[in-house]
């Protein structure tokens, strides 16, 4: 299967959310990456449930919701109602990760786990079969537009091995600092999904930039 592209709303113009949804509908984007931040787990606050609910009827795309919040298990049902298709929690924010993943799947969503740059991929070995998506952070979460951390290539390869050996169907998503320069290397390292925020939305023609990432 060819790789998937998930433009991140965080880098888009918040005064034109409807126009952005229409542009993404026309584009080759596969998923809509939605970054929820609480000002506690990460040093920034972005947007939350009402914005996602408002966007849901405007979008034909899969909603890939990335929770950068403490105790994410408190909000699983709420994000299902808001329209999330994939719900990703941080490893570092989830004390009972196994239970949280089961609860996400129980709501009919795909269950994702995100790893901060300092968190080793082998920590997922015992839970890999309960995961649909592993989101490897290419930057420290909290802000768009940061530069890519090179170590992410090795982590992608190591995670690819863990997943392939286990027989898990989990996809590998790379989030943060992705651009047309590092995309080919990330895909050869084993990535399945590329999130792109500023590279898409700060470009002259976001729709064409999405198409170009699809052609990598
Ligand atoms: C960072 C977010 C990312 C962010 C990526 O905390 O999780 O999804 O929007 O933005 P870029 O692609 O600009 O690094
Ligand atoms: Zn994200």
């Amino acid at each position: 299967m060819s790789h998937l592209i998930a433009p991140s709303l965080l880098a888009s113009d918040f005064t034109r959310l409807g126009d952005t949804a229409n542009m993404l509908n026309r584009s080759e984007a596969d998923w809509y990456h939605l970054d929820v931040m609480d000002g506690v787990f990460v040093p920034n606050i972005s947007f939350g449930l009402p914005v996602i609910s408002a966007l849901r009827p405007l979008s034909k795309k899969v909603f890939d919701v990335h929770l950068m919040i403490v105790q994410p298990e408190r909000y699983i049902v709420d994000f299902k109602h808001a329209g999330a298709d994939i719900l990703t929690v941080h490893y570092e924010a989830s004390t009972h990760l196994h239970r949280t993943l089961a609860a996400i799947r129980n709501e009919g969503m795909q269950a994702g786990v995100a790893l901060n740059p300092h968190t080793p991929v082998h920590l997922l070995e015992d839970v890999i079969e309960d995961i649909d998506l592993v989101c490897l952070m290419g930057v420290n979460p909290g802000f768009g537009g940061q530069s890519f951390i090179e170590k992410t290539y090795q982590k992608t390869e190591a995670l690819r091995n863990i997943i392939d050996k286990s027989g898990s169907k989990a996809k590998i998503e790379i989030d943060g600092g992705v651009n047309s320069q590092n995309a080919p290397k990330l895909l050869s390292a084993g990535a399945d999904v590329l999130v792109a925020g500023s590279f898409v939305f700060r470009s002259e023609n976001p729709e064409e930039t999405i198409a170009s990432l699809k052609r990598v």
Side-chain angles (χ1 to χ4, degrees):
M1 198 192 68
S2 73
H3 63 277
L4 307 178
I5 302 299
S8 170
L9 184 74
L10 189 66
S12 74
D13 180 349
F14 286 178
T15 68
R16 301 175 60 222
L17 291 175
D19 294 340
T20 300
N22 291 333
M23 182 279 288
L24 288 178
N25 283 343
R26 290 192 307 268
S27 80
E28 292 177 51
D30 298 281
W31 296 354
Y32 211 140
H33 187 81
L34 298 159
D35 289 305
V36 176
M37 303 180 186
D38 66 354
V40 180
F41 180 68
V42 287
N44 194 10
I45 300 175
S46 56
F47 52 82
L49 292 158
V51 171
I52 295 174
S53 302
L55 281 170
R56 185 65 280 184
L58 306 180
S59 179
K60 298 191 286 203
K61 303 293 177 175
V62 168
F63 273 17
D64 170 31
V65 177
H66 177 192
L67 297 183
M68 284 161 273
I69 68 174
V70 297
Q71 299 173 358
E73 63 281 354
R74 294 171 298 161
Y75 291 105
I76 294 170
V77 175
D78 293 320
F79 279 100
K80 170 68 184 176
H81 290 156
D85 299 295
I86 304 166
L87 194 62
T88 296
V89 299
H90 264 265
Y91 178 89
E92 303 82 7
S94 311
T95 311
H96 299 287
L97 182 61
H98 181 270
R99 178 189 287 149
T100 299
L101 294 168
I104 294 172
R105 283 182 165 178
N106 198 38
E107 288 300 321
M109 297 180 285
Q110 292 184 54
V113 178
L115 298 185
N116 278 341
H118 74 274
T119 305
V121 293
H122 72 79
L123 290 174
L124 294 181
E125 271 168 9
D126 290 344
V127 81
I128 197 71
E129 277 154 49
D130 305 294
I131 300 176
D132 299 298
L133 179 74
V134 180
C135 174
L136 285 186
M137 295 306 302
V139 300
N140 284 294
F143 303 92
Q146 305 179 80
S147 47
F148 181 76
I149 297 169
E150 301 277 318
K151 176 82 181 174
T152 315
Y153 297 122
Q154 273 166 268
K155 291 181 74 171
T156 306
E157 275 172 23
L159 178 61
R160 183 82 269 162
N161 285 332
I162 292 171
I163 291 174
D164 291 350
K165 267 194 226 141
S166 73
S168 156
K169 300 260 186 308
K171 288 185 168 62
I172 302 178
E173 175 179 70
I174 311 296
D175 184 14
V178 173
N179 56 42
S180 57
Q181 309 277 296
N182 54 26
K185 207 169 155 188
L186 287 167
L187 294 173
S188 15
D192 304 292
V193 187
L194 301 177
V195 174
S198 34
F199 185 68
V200 165
F201 288 103
R202 287 192 203 152
S203 70
E204 197 75 6
N205 182 340
E207 199 178 330
E208 176 47 41
T209 305
I210 291 166
S212 74
L213 284 172
K214 215 40 203 174
R215 286 194 298 268
V216 166

